[in-house]
Amino acid sequence: MKVITRKEVDVVTDVCCDICDESTSKHGRHSPQFGMLQAQWGYGSSHDGEAFELHLCESCFFQALTNLQEQRRGELMFSEQGFEPDPDFGRVQGHSQELI
Ligand SMILES: [Zn+2]
């Protein structure tokens, strides 16, 4: 037997970018589209017990990605392996949306 009760639940209707504060859903016109920078530091790290979570709009996400690539270039440019720009830096392979 199903027992049915009406419940009020909180749902996420929008996610605002933590950098520029813009809506990532065009103010509810579509589902929120955002990237995340997330960390949970544990034993052995100097930030043990700390957690971080940032939500980034599409524009700020790709700016952050560009900044990280630039940091990588700085880290590797004088190393033995050197630096080669990677146009797919951070991209998850096989996760592209198929166009129908
Ligand atoms: Zn933003």
Side-chain angles (χ1 to χ4, degrees):
M1 178 177 74
K2 290 181 179 174
V3 179
I4 298 173
T5 304
R6 181 174 293 252
K7 279 187 173 180
E8 282 190 30
V9 294
D10 292 332
V11 294
V12 175
T13 55
D14 201 357
V15 173
C16 292
C17 177
D18 287 314
I19 305 300
C20 70
D21 209 30
E22 279 297 310
S23 164
T24 63
S25 71
K26 301 266 194 265
H27 303 284
R29 288 198 286 271
H30 56 69
S31 62
Q33 299 294 310
F34 57 90
M36 291 179 66
L37 182 62
Q38 190 175 44
Q40 292 183 336
W41 299 106
Y43 180 74
S45 75
S46 59
H47 291 274
D48 187 8
E50 296 179 27
F52 297 83
E53 185 178 279
L54 293 171
H55 298 86
L56 305 174
C57 73
E58 189 174 11
S59 172
C60 291
F61 174 84
F62 282 101
Q63 180 62 54
L65 196 62
T66 298
N67 295 345
L68 289 169
Q69 285 177 295
E70 186 59 27
Q71 182 178 350
R72 180 172 165 75
R73 187 180 73 79
E75 294 286 339
L76 296 180
M77 125 176 128
F78 297 116
S79 71
E80 253 181 50
Q81 80 182 72
F83 172 76
E84 287 290 328
D86 179 2
D88 290 326
F89 180 65
R91 184 187 304 264
V92 177
Q93 295 300 323
H95 193 71
S96 62
Q97 292 181 328
E98 290 182 26
L99 297 172
I100 300 172

Coordinates of all heavy atoms in Angstrom, one line a residue:
M1 N 0.8 -1.2 0.0 CA 0.0 0.0 0.0 C 0.9 1.2 0.0 O 1.8 1.3 0.8 CB -0.9 0.0 1.2 CG -1.8 1.2 1.3 SD -2.9 1.2 2.7 CE -1.8 1.5 4.1
K2 N 0.5 2.2 -0.9 CA 1.3 3.4 -0.9 C 0.6 4.4 0.1 O -0.6 4.6 0.0 CB 1.3 4.0 -2.3 CG 2.1 3.2 -3.3 CD 2.0 3.9 -4.6 CE 2.9 3.1 -5.6 NZ 2.7 3.7 -7.0
V3 N 1.4 5.0 0.9 CA 1.0 6.1 1.7 C 1.5 7.4 1.2 O 2.7 7.6 1.0 CB 1.5 5.9 3.2 CG1 1.0 7.0 4.1 CG2 1.0 4.6 3.8
I4 N 0.6 8.2 0.8 CA 1.0 9.4 0.1 C 0.8 10.6 1.0 O -0.3 10.8 1.6 CB 0.2 9.6 -1.2 CG1 0.4 8.4 -2.1 CG2 0.5 10.9 -1.9 CD1 -0.4 8.3 -3.4
T5 N 1.8 11.4 1.1 CA 1.8 12.6 1.9 C 2.4 13.8 1.0 O 3.4 13.6 0.3 CB 2.7 12.5 3.1 OG1 2.2 11.4 3.9 CG2 2.6 13.7 4.0
R6 N 1.7 14.9 1.0 CA 2.3 16.0 0.3 C 3.5 16.6 1.1 O 3.3 16.8 2.3 CB 1.2 17.1 0.1 CG 1.7 18.3 -0.6 CD 0.6 19.2 -0.9 NE -0.4 18.6 -1.8 CZ -0.5 19.0 -3.1 NH1 0.2 20.0 -3.6 NH2 -1.4 18.4 -3.9
K7 N 4.6 16.8 0.5 CA 5.8 17.3 1.1 C 6.3 18.5 0.4 O 6.2 18.6 -0.8 CB 6.9 16.3 1.1 CG 6.9 15.2 2.2 CD 8.2 14.4 2.1 CE 8.2 13.5 3.3 NZ 9.5 12.7 3.3
E8 N 6.8 19.5 1.2 CA 7.4 20.6 0.5 C 8.9 20.3 0.6 O 9.5 19.9 1.6 CB 7.2 21.9 1.3 CG 5.8 22.5 1.0 CD 5.7 23.9 1.6 OE1 6.7 24.6 1.7 OE2 4.5 24.2 2.0
V9 N 9.6 20.4 -0.6 CA 11.0 20.2 -0.7 C 11.7 21.4 -1.3 O 11.1 22.1 -2.1 CB 11.3 18.9 -1.5 CG1 10.8 17.7 -0.8 CG2 10.8 19.1 -2.9
D10 N 12.9 21.6 -0.8 CA 13.7 22.7 -1.4 C 14.4 22.2 -2.6 O 15.0 21.1 -2.6 CB 14.7 23.2 -0.4 CG 14.1 23.9 0.8 OD1 13.0 24.4 0.7 OD2 14.7 23.8 1.9
V11 N 14.3 22.9 -3.7 CA 15.0 22.5 -4.9 C 15.9 23.7 -5.4 O 15.5 24.9 -5.1 CB 14.0 22.2 -6.1 CG1 13.2 20.9 -5.7 CG2 13.1 23.3 -6.4
V12 N 17.0 23.3 -6.0 CA 17.9 24.4 -6.5 C 17.3 24.9 -7.8 O 17.1 24.1 -8.7 CB 19.3 23.8 -6.7 CG1 20.2 24.8 -7.4 CG2 19.9 23.3 -5.4
T13 N 16.9 26.2 -7.9 CA 16.3 26.7 -9.1 C 17.4 27.5 -9.9 O 17.2 27.8 -11.0 CB 15.1 27.6 -8.8 OG1 15.6 28.6 -7.8 CG2 14.0 26.8 -8.2
D14 N 18.4 27.9 -9.2 CA 19.5 28.7 -9.9 C 20.8 28.5 -9.1 O 20.7 28.2 -7.9 CB 19.1 30.1 -10.0 CG 19.8 30.9 -11.1 OD1 20.7 30.2 -11.8 OD2 19.6 32.0 -11.3
V15 N 21.8 28.7 -9.8 CA 23.2 28.7 -9.2 C 23.8 30.0 -9.7 O 23.9 30.2 -10.9 CB 24.0 27.5 -9.6 CG1 25.4 27.6 -9.1 CG2 23.3 26.2 -9.1
C16 N 24.3 30.8 -8.8 CA 24.9 32.1 -9.2 C 26.4 31.8 -9.1 O 27.0 31.1 -8.3 CB 24.6 33.2 -8.2 SG 22.9 33.7 -8.4
C17 N 27.1 32.4 -10.1 CA 28.6 32.3 -10.2 C 29.2 32.9 -9.0 O 28.9 34.0 -8.6 CB 29.0 32.9 -11.5 SG 30.8 32.9 -11.7
D18 N 30.2 32.2 -8.4 CA 30.9 32.8 -7.2 C 31.9 33.8 -7.6 O 32.5 34.5 -6.7 CB 31.6 31.6 -6.4 CG 30.6 30.8 -5.7 OD1 29.7 31.3 -5.0 OD2 30.7 29.5 -5.8
I19 N 32.2 34.0 -8.9 CA 33.1 35.0 -9.3 C 32.4 36.3 -9.7 O 32.6 37.4 -9.2 CB 34.0 34.5 -10.5 CG1 34.7 33.2 -10.1 CG2 35.0 35.6 -10.9 CD1 35.6 33.3 -8.9
C20 N 31.5 36.2 -10.7 CA 30.8 37.4 -11.2 C 29.4 37.6 -10.7 O 28.8 38.6 -11.0 CB 30.8 37.4 -12.7 SG 29.7 36.1 -13.4
D21 N 28.9 36.6 -9.9 CA 27.6 36.7 -9.3 C 26.4 36.6 -10.3 O 25.3 36.8 -10.0 CB 27.4 37.9 -8.4 CG 26.5 37.7 -7.3 OD1 26.3 36.6 -6.8 OD2 25.8 38.7 -6.9
E22 N 26.7 36.2 -11.6 CA 25.6 36.1 -12.5 C 24.9 34.8 -12.4 O 25.4 33.8 -12.0 CB 26.2 36.1 -14.0 CG 26.5 37.5 -14.5 CD 25.2 38.4 -14.6 OE1 24.2 37.9 -15.2 OE2 25.3 39.5 -14.1
S23 N 23.6 34.8 -12.8 CA 22.8 33.6 -12.8 C 23.4 32.6 -13.8 O 23.8 33.0 -14.9 CB 21.4 33.9 -13.2 OG 20.7 32.8 -13.7
T24 N 23.5 31.3 -13.5 CA 24.0 30.3 -14.5 C 22.8 29.6 -15.2 O 23.0 28.7 -16.0 CB 24.8 29.2 -13.9 OG1 24.1 28.5 -12.9 CG2 26.0 29.9 -13.2
S25 N 21.6 30.1 -15.0 CA 20.4 29.6 -15.7 C 19.7 30.6 -16.5 O 18.5 30.4 -16.9 CB 19.4 29.0 -14.6 OG 18.8 30.0 -13.9
K26 N 20.3 31.7 -16.8 CA 19.7 32.9 -17.4 C 18.4 33.2 -16.7 O 17.3 33.3 -17.2 CB 19.4 32.6 -18.9 CG 20.6 32.3 -19.7 CD 21.2 33.5 -20.4 CE 22.2 33.1 -21.5 NZ 23.6 33.2 -21.0
H27 N 18.5 33.3 -15.3 CA 17.4 33.6 -14.4 C 16.2 32.7 -14.6 O 15.1 33.1 -14.7 CB 17.0 35.1 -14.6 CG 18.1 36.0 -14.3 ND1 18.6 36.3 -13.1 CD2 18.9 36.7 -15.2 CE1 19.6 37.1 -13.2 NE2 19.9 37.4 -14.4
G28 N 16.5 31.3 -14.6 CA 15.5 30.3 -14.7 C 15.0 29.9 -16.0 O 14.1 29.1 -16.2
R29 N 15.6 30.5 -17.1 CA 15.1 30.1 -18.5 C 15.6 28.7 -18.9 O 15.1 28.2 -19.8 CB 15.6 31.2 -19.5 CG 14.7 32.5 -19.3 CD 14.8 33.3 -20.6 NE 16.1 34.0 -20.7 CZ 16.4 35.2 -20.2 NH1 15.5 35.9 -19.5 NH2 17.6 35.7 -20.3
H30 N 16.6 28.2 -18.2 CA 17.1 26.8 -18.5 C 17.7 26.3 -17.2 O 17.8 27.1 -16.2 CB 18.0 26.7 -19.7 CG 19.2 27.6 -19.6 ND1 20.2 27.4 -18.7 CD2 19.6 28.7 -20.3 CE1 21.2 28.3 -18.8 NE2 20.8 29.1 -19.8
S31 N 18.1 25.0 -17.2 CA 18.7 24.5 -16.0 C 20.1 25.2 -15.8 O 20.7 25.6 -16.7 CB 18.8 23.0 -16.1 OG 19.7 22.7 -17.2
P32 N 20.5 25.3 -14.5 CA 21.8 25.9 -14.2 C 22.9 25.2 -15.0 O 23.0 24.0 -14.9 CB 21.9 25.8 -12.7 CG 20.5 25.7 -12.2 CD 19.8 24.9 -13.3
Q33 N 23.8 25.9 -15.6 CA 24.9 25.4 -16.3 C 26.2 26.0 -15.7 O 26.4 27.2 -15.9 CB 24.8 25.7 -17.8 CG 23.6 25.2 -18.5 CD 23.7 23.7 -18.6 OE1 24.7 23.1 -19.0 NE2 22.6 23.0 -18.1
F34 N 26.9 25.2 -15.0 CA 28.1 25.8 -14.3 C 29.2 24.7 -14.2 O 28.9 23.5 -14.3 CB 27.7 26.3 -12.9 CG 27.0 25.2 -12.1 CD1 27.8 24.3 -11.2 CD2 25.6 24.9 -12.1 CE1 27.2 23.3 -10.5 CE2 25.1 24.0 -11.3 CZ 25.8 23.1 -10.5
G35 N 30.4 25.2 -13.9 CA 31.5 24.3 -13.6 C 31.8 24.5 -12.1 O 31.4 25.4 -11.4
M36 N 32.5 23.5 -11.5 CA 32.9 23.6 -10.1 C 34.4 23.4 -9.9 O 35.0 22.7 -10.6 CB 32.1 22.5 -9.4 CG 30.6 22.7 -9.3 SD 29.8 21.3 -8.4 CE 30.4 21.6 -6.8
L37 N 34.8 24.1 -8.9 CA 36.2 23.9 -8.3 C 36.0 23.4 -6.9 O 35.4 24.1 -6.1 CB 37.0 25.2 -8.4 CG 38.4 25.1 -7.9 CD1 39.3 24.2 -8.8 CD2 39.1 26.5 -7.9
Q38 N 36.4 22.2 -6.6 CA 36.0 21.6 -5.4 C 37.2 20.9 -4.8 O 38.0 20.3 -5.5 CB 34.9 20.6 -5.7 CG 34.2 20.0 -4.5 CD 33.1 19.1 -4.9 OE1 33.2 18.3 -5.8 NE2 32.0 19.2 -4.2
A39 N 37.3 21.0 -3.4 CA 38.4 20.2 -2.7 C 37.9 19.9 -1.3 O 37.2 20.7 -0.7 CB 39.6 21.1 -2.7
Q40 N 38.3 18.7 -0.9 CA 38.2 18.3 0.5 C 39.5 17.8 1.0 O 39.9 16.7 0.6 CB 37.1 17.2 0.6 CG 35.7 17.7 0.3 CD 34.7 16.6 0.5 OE1 35.0 15.4 0.4 NE2 33.4 17.0 0.7
W41 N 40.2 18.6 1.8 CA 41.5 18.3 2.2 C 41.5 17.4 3.5 O 40.7 17.7 4.4 CB 42.3 19.6 2.5 CG 42.4 20.4 1.2 CD1 41.8 21.5 1.0 CD2 43.2 20.1 0.1 NE1 42.1 22.0 -0.3 CE2 43.0 21.1 -0.9 CE3 44.1 19.0 -0.3 CZ2 43.6 21.1 -2.1 CZ3 44.7 19.0 -1.5 CH2 44.4 20.1 -2.4
G42 N 42.3 16.4 3.5 CA 42.3 15.5 4.6 C 43.7 15.3 5.2 O 44.6 16.1 5.0
Y43 N 43.8 14.2 6.0 CA 45.1 13.9 6.7 C 46.3 14.0 5.7 O 46.2 13.4 4.7 CB 45.0 12.6 7.4 CG 46.2 12.2 8.1 CD1 46.5 12.8 9.4 CD2 47.1 11.3 7.6 CE1 47.6 12.5 10.1 CE2 48.3 11.0 8.3 CZ 48.5 11.6 9.5 OH 49.7 11.3 10.2
G44 N 47.3 14.6 6.1 CA 48.5 14.7 5.3 C 48.6 16.0 4.6 O 49.7 16.4 4.0
S45 N 47.5 16.7 4.5 CA 47.6 18.0 3.8 C 47.7 19.1 4.8 O 47.3 18.9 6.0 CB 46.3 18.3 2.9 OG 45.2 18.6 3.8
S46 N 48.2 20.3 4.4 CA 48.3 21.4 5.4 C 46.9 22.1 5.6 O 46.8 22.9 6.5 CB 49.3 22.4 4.9 OG 49.0 22.9 3.6
H47 N 45.9 21.7 4.9 CA 44.6 22.2 5.0 C 43.6 21.1 5.5 O 42.4 21.2 5.3 CB 44.1 22.8 3.7 CG 44.8 24.0 3.3 ND1 44.4 25.3 3.7 CD2 45.9 24.2 2.5 CE1 45.2 26.2 3.2 NE2 46.1 25.5 2.4
D48 N 44.2 20.2 6.3 CA 43.4 19.1 6.8 C 42.1 19.5 7.4 O 42.1 20.4 8.3 CB 44.2 18.3 7.9 CG 43.6 17.0 8.3 OD1 42.5 16.6 7.7 OD2 44.1 16.4 9.3
G49 N 41.0 19.0 7.0 CA 39.7 19.3 7.6 C 39.0 20.4 6.9 O 37.8 20.7 7.2
E50 N 39.6 21.0 5.9 CA 39.0 22.2 5.2 C 38.4 21.7 3.9 O 38.9 20.8 3.2 CB 40.0 23.3 4.9 CG 40.6 23.9 6.2 CD 41.6 25.0 5.8 OE1 41.5 25.6 4.8 OE2 42.5 25.2 6.7
A51 N 37.3 22.3 3.5 CA 36.6 22.0 2.2 C 36.3 23.2 1.5 O 36.0 24.3 2.1 CB 35.3 21.2 2.5
F52 N 36.3 23.1 0.2 CA 36.1 24.3 -0.7 C 35.2 23.9 -1.8 O 35.3 22.8 -2.3 CB 37.4 24.8 -1.3 CG 38.4 25.3 -0.3 CD1 39.2 24.5 0.4 CD2 38.4 26.7 0.1 CE1 40.1 24.9 1.4 CE2 39.3 27.2 1.0 CZ 40.2 26.3 1.7
E53 N 34.3 24.8 -2.2 CA 33.4 24.5 -3.3 C 33.1 25.9 -4.0 O 32.5 26.7 -3.4 CB 32.2 23.8 -2.9 CG 31.3 23.4 -4.0 CD 30.0 22.7 -3.5 OE1 30.2 21.4 -3.3 OE2 29.0 23.3 -3.4
L54 N 33.5 26.0 -5.2 CA 33.1 27.2 -6.0 C 32.3 26.9 -7.2 O 32.6 25.9 -7.9 CB 34.4 28.0 -6.4 CG 35.3 28.6 -5.3 CD1 36.6 29.0 -5.9 CD2 34.5 29.7 -4.7
H55 N 31.3 27.6 -7.5 CA 30.5 27.4 -8.7 C 30.9 28.5 -9.7 O 30.9 29.7 -9.3 CB 29.0 27.5 -8.4 CG 28.6 26.4 -7.4 ND1 28.7 26.6 -6.1 CD2 28.1 25.2 -7.6 CE1 28.2 25.5 -5.5 NE2 27.9 24.6 -6.4
L56 N 31.1 28.1 -10.9 CA 31.6 29.1 -11.9 C 30.7 29.1 -13.2 O 30.4 28.0 -13.7 CB 33.0 28.8 -12.4 CG 34.1 28.6 -11.3 CD1 35.4 28.1 -11.9 CD2 34.3 29.9 -10.6
C57 N 30.3 30.3 -13.6 CA 29.5 30.3 -14.9 C 30.4 29.9 -16.0 O 31.7 29.8 -15.8 CB 29.0 31.8 -15.1 SG 30.2 33.0 -15.5
E58 N 29.9 29.8 -17.2 CA 30.7 29.3 -18.3 C 31.8 30.2 -18.6 O 33.0 29.8 -18.8 CB 29.7 29.2 -19.5 CG 30.4 28.5 -20.7 CD 29.4 28.2 -21.9 OE1 28.3 28.8 -21.8 OE2 29.7 27.5 -22.8
S59 N 31.6 31.5 -18.6 CA 32.6 32.5 -18.9 C 33.8 32.4 -17.9 O 34.9 32.4 -18.2 CB 32.0 33.9 -19.0 OG 33.0 34.8 -19.1
C60 N 33.4 32.4 -16.6 CA 34.4 32.4 -15.5 C 35.1 31.1 -15.5 O 36.3 31.0 -15.2 CB 33.8 32.8 -14.2 SG 33.2 34.5 -14.1
F61 N 34.4 30.0 -15.8 CA 35.1 28.7 -15.8 C 36.2 28.7 -16.8 O 37.3 28.2 -16.5 CB 34.0 27.6 -16.1 CG 34.7 26.2 -16.3 CD1 35.0 25.4 -15.2 CD2 35.0 25.8 -17.5 CE1 35.6 24.2 -15.3 CE2 35.7 24.5 -17.7 CZ 35.9 23.8 -16.6
F62 N 35.9 29.1 -18.0 CA 36.9 29.1 -19.1 C 38.0 30.1 -18.9 O 39.2 29.8 -19.3 CB 36.3 29.1 -20.5 CG 35.6 27.8 -20.8 CD1 34.3 27.6 -20.7 CD2 36.4 26.8 -21.2 CE1 33.7 26.4 -21.0 CE2 35.9 25.5 -21.5 CZ 34.5 25.3 -21.4
Q63 N 37.7 31.2 -18.2 CA 38.8 32.1 -17.8 C 39.7 31.4 -16.8 O 40.9 31.5 -16.8 CB 38.2 33.4 -17.2 CG 39.3 34.4 -16.8 CD 40.1 34.9 -18.0 OE1 39.6 35.3 -19.0 NE2 41.4 34.7 -17.8
A64 N 39.1 30.7 -15.8 CA 39.9 30.0 -14.8 C 40.7 28.9 -15.4 O 41.9 28.7 -15.1 CB 39.0 29.4 -13.7
L65 N 40.1 28.2 -16.4 CA 40.9 27.2 -17.1 C 42.1 27.8 -17.9 O 43.2 27.2 -17.8 CB 39.9 26.5 -18.1 CG 40.4 25.2 -18.7 CD1 40.5 24.1 -17.6 CD2 39.4 24.7 -19.7
T66 N 41.9 28.9 -18.5 CA 43.0 29.6 -19.1 C 44.1 30.0 -18.1 O 45.3 29.8 -18.4 CB 42.5 30.9 -19.9 OG1 41.5 30.5 -20.9 CG2 43.6 31.7 -20.5
N67 N 43.7 30.5 -17.0 CA 44.6 30.9 -15.9 C 45.4 29.6 -15.4 O 46.6 29.7 -15.2 CB 43.9 31.5 -14.7 CG 43.3 32.8 -15.1 OD1 43.6 33.4 -16.2 ND2 42.4 33.3 -14.3
L68 N 44.7 28.5 -15.3 CA 45.4 27.3 -14.9 C 46.4 26.8 -15.9 O 47.5 26.3 -15.6 CB 44.4 26.2 -14.5 CG 43.6 26.5 -13.2 CD1 42.4 25.5 -13.2 CD2 44.4 26.3 -12.0
Q69 N 46.0 26.9 -17.2 CA 46.9 26.5 -18.2 C 48.2 27.4 -18.2 O 49.3 26.9 -18.5 CB 46.2 26.6 -19.6 CG 45.3 25.5 -19.9 CD 44.5 25.7 -21.2 OE1 43.8 26.6 -21.4 NE2 44.8 24.8 -22.1
E70 N 47.9 28.7 -18.0 CA 49.1 29.6 -17.9 C 50.0 29.3 -16.7 O 51.2 29.3 -16.8 CB 48.5 31.1 -17.7 CG 49.6 32.1 -17.8 CD 50.4 32.1 -19.1 OE1 49.9 31.7 -20.1 OE2 51.6 32.5 -19.0
Q71 N 49.4 28.9 -15.6 CA 50.2 28.5 -14.4 C 51.0 27.2 -14.8 O 52.1 27.1 -14.4 CB 49.2 28.2 -13.2 CG 50.0 27.8 -12.0 CD 49.1 27.6 -10.8 OE1 47.9 27.9 -10.8 NE2 49.6 27.0 -9.7
R72 N 50.3 26.3 -15.5 CA 51.0 25.0 -15.9 C 52.2 25.4 -16.8 O 53.3 24.8 -16.7 CB 50.0 24.1 -16.6 CG 50.6 22.8 -17.1 CD 49.5 21.9 -17.6 NE 50.0 20.8 -18.4 CZ 50.6 19.7 -17.9 NH1 50.8 19.6 -16.6 NH2 51.1 18.8 -18.7
R73 N 52.0 26.3 -17.7 CA 53.1 26.7 -18.6 C 54.2 27.2 -17.8 O 55.4 26.9 -18.0 CB 52.6 27.8 -19.6 CG 53.6 28.2 -20.6 CD 53.1 29.3 -21.5 NE 53.1 30.6 -20.9 CZ 54.1 31.3 -20.7 NH1 55.3 31.0 -21.1 NH2 54.0 32.5 -20.0
G74 N 54.0 28.1 -16.8 CA 55.0 28.6 -15.9 C 55.7 27.5 -15.1 O 56.9 27.6 -14.9
E75 N 55.0 26.5 -14.7 CA 55.6 25.4 -13.9 C 56.5 24.5 -14.7 O 57.5 24.0 -14.3 CB 54.4 24.5 -13.3 CG 53.6 25.2 -12.2 CD 54.3 25.4 -10.9 OE1 55.3 24.7 -10.6 OE2 53.9 26.3 -10.1
L76 N 56.1 24.3 -16.0 CA 56.8 23.3 -16.8 C 57.8 23.9 -17.8 O 58.6 23.1 -18.4 CB 55.7 22.4 -17.6 CG 54.8 21.6 -16.7 CD1 53.9 20.8 -17.6 CD2 55.6 20.7 -15.8
M77 N 57.7 25.2 -18.1 CA 58.4 25.7 -19.2 C 59.9 25.5 -19.1 O 60.6 25.3 -20.1 CB 58.0 27.1 -19.4 CG 58.9 28.2 -19.4 SD 57.9 29.7 -19.8 CE 58.5 30.7 -18.4
F78 N 60.5 25.5 -17.9 CA 61.9 25.2 -17.7 C 62.2 23.8 -17.2 O 63.4 23.5 -16.8 CB 62.6 26.3 -16.8 CG 62.4 27.7 -17.4 CD1 61.7 28.6 -16.7 CD2 63.1 28.0 -18.6 CE1 61.5 29.9 -17.2 CE2 62.9 29.3 -19.1 CZ 62.2 30.2 -18.4
S79 N 61.2 23.0 -17.2 CA 61.5 21.6 -16.7 C 62.0 20.7 -17.8 O 62.0 21.2 -19.0 CB 60.1 21.0 -16.2 OG 59.3 20.7 -17.3
E80 N 62.4 19.5 -17.5 CA 63.0 18.6 -18.5 C 61.9 18.3 -19.6 O 62.2 18.2 -20.7 CB 63.4 17.3 -17.8 CG 64.9 17.2 -17.8 CD 65.3 15.9 -17.1 OE1 64.9 14.8 -17.5 OE2 66.2 16.0 -16.2
Q81 N 60.7 18.1 -19.1 CA 59.6 17.7 -20.1 C 59.2 18.9 -20.9 O 58.6 18.7 -22.0 CB 58.4 17.0 -19.4 CG 57.5 18.0 -18.7 CD 56.3 17.3 -18.0 OE1 56.6 16.7 -17.0 NE2 55.2 17.3 -18.5
G82 N 59.4 20.1 -20.4 CA 59.0 21.2 -21.2 C 57.5 21.4 -21.2 O 56.8 20.7 -20.5
F83 N 57.0 22.4 -21.9 CA 55.6 22.7 -22.0 C 55.1 22.6 -23.4 O 55.6 23.3 -24.3 CB 55.3 24.1 -21.3 CG 53.9 24.5 -21.5 CD1 52.9 23.9 -20.7 CD2 53.5 25.4 -22.5 CE1 51.6 24.3 -20.9 CE2 52.2 25.8 -22.6 CZ 51.2 25.2 -21.8
E84 N 54.0 21.9 -23.6 CA 53.3 21.9 -24.9 C 51.9 22.3 -24.6 O 51.3 21.7 -23.7 CB 53.3 20.5 -25.5 CG 54.6 20.0 -26.0 CD 55.0 20.8 -27.3 OE1 54.1 21.2 -28.1 OE2 56.2 21.0 -27.5
P85 N 51.4 23.3 -25.2 CA 50.0 23.7 -25.0 C 49.0 22.5 -25.3 O 49.3 21.8 -26.3 CB 49.7 24.9 -26.0 CG 51.0 25.2 -26.5 CD 52.0 24.1 -26.3
D86 N 48.1 22.3 -24.5 CA 47.1 21.2 -24.7 C 45.7 21.8 -24.9 O 45.1 22.3 -24.0 CB 47.1 20.3 -23.4 CG 46.2 19.1 -23.6 OD1 45.5 19.0 -24.6 OD2 46.1 18.4 -22.6
P87 N 45.2 21.7 -26.1 CA 43.9 22.3 -26.4 C 42.8 21.6 -25.7 O 41.7 22.1 -25.5 CB 43.7 22.2 -27.9 CG 44.7 21.1 -28.3 CD 45.8 21.2 -27.3
D88 N 43.1 20.4 -25.2 CA 42.0 19.6 -24.5 C 42.3 19.5 -23.0 O 41.9 18.6 -22.3 CB 42.0 18.2 -25.0 CG 41.4 18.1 -26.4 OD1 40.5 18.9 -26.7 OD2 41.8 17.3 -27.2
F89 N 43.1 20.5 -22.5 CA 43.5 20.6 -21.1 C 42.2 20.4 -20.2 O 41.3 21.3 -20.2 CB 44.2 21.9 -20.8 CG 44.6 22.1 -19.3 CD1 45.6 21.3 -18.8 CD2 44.1 23.1 -18.6 CE1 46.0 21.5 -17.5 CE2 44.5 23.3 -17.3 CZ 45.4 22.5 -16.7
G90 N 42.2 19.4 -19.4 CA 41.1 19.2 -18.4 C 39.9 18.6 -19.0 O 39.0 18.2 -18.2
R91 N 39.8 18.4 -20.3 CA 38.6 17.9 -20.9 C 38.5 16.4 -20.6 O 39.5 15.7 -20.7 CB 38.6 18.1 -22.4 CG 37.3 17.7 -23.1 CD 37.5 17.7 -24.6 NE 37.8 19.1 -25.1 CZ 37.0 20.0 -25.5 NH1 35.7 19.7 -25.6 NH2 37.4 21.2 -25.9
V92 N 37.3 15.9 -20.3 CA 37.0 14.5 -20.1 C 36.8 13.9 -21.4 O 35.8 14.3 -22.1 CB 35.8 14.3 -19.1 CG1 35.6 12.8 -18.9 CG2 36.1 14.9 -17.8
Q93 N 37.6 12.9 -21.8 CA 37.5 12.3 -23.1 C 36.2 11.4 -23.2 O 35.9 10.8 -22.2 CB 38.7 11.5 -23.5 CG 40.0 12.3 -23.6 CD 39.9 13.3 -24.7 OE1 39.3 13.1 -25.7 NE2 40.5 14.5 -24.5
G94 N 35.6 11.4 -24.3 CA 34.4 10.6 -24.5 C 33.2 11.1 -23.7 O 32.2 10.4 -23.5
H95 N 33.2 12.4 -23.4 CA 32.1 12.9 -22.6 C 31.4 14.1 -23.4 O 30.6 14.8 -22.9 CB 32.5 13.5 -21.3 CG 31.4 13.8 -20.4 ND1 30.6 12.8 -19.8 CD2 30.9 15.0 -19.9 CE1 29.7 13.4 -19.0 NE2 29.9 14.7 -19.1
S96 N 31.6 14.1 -24.7 CA 31.0 15.2 -25.5 C 29.6 14.8 -25.8 O 29.2 13.7 -25.9 CB 31.8 15.4 -26.8 OG 31.7 14.2 -27.6
Q97 N 28.8 15.9 -25.9 CA 27.4 15.6 -26.2 C 27.2 15.4 -27.7 O 27.8 16.1 -28.5 CB 26.5 16.8 -25.8 CG 26.4 17.0 -24.3 CD 25.6 18.2 -23.9 OE1 25.5 19.2 -24.7 NE2 24.9 18.1 -22.8
E98 N 26.4 14.4 -28.0 CA 26.2 14.1 -29.5 C 25.2 15.1 -30.0 O 24.2 15.3 -29.4 CB 25.8 12.7 -29.6 CG 26.9 11.7 -29.4 CD 26.4 10.2 -29.6 OE1 25.5 10.1 -30.4 OE2 26.9 9.3 -29.0
L99 N 25.5 15.6 -31.2 CA 24.5 16.4 -31.9 C 23.6 15.5 -32.8 O 24.1 14.8 -33.6 CB 25.2 17.5 -32.7 CG 26.1 18.5 -31.9 CD1 26.9 19.3 -32.9 CD2 25.2 19.3 -31.0
I100 N 22.4 15.7 -32.6 CA 21.4 14.8 -33.4 C 20.8 15.7 -34.4 O 20.3 16.8 -34.2 CB 20.4 14.2 -32.5 CG1 21.1 13.3 -31.4 CG2 19.4 13.4 -33.3 CD1 20.1 12.7 -30.4
Ligands
ZN1 ZN 30.9 34.1 -13.7

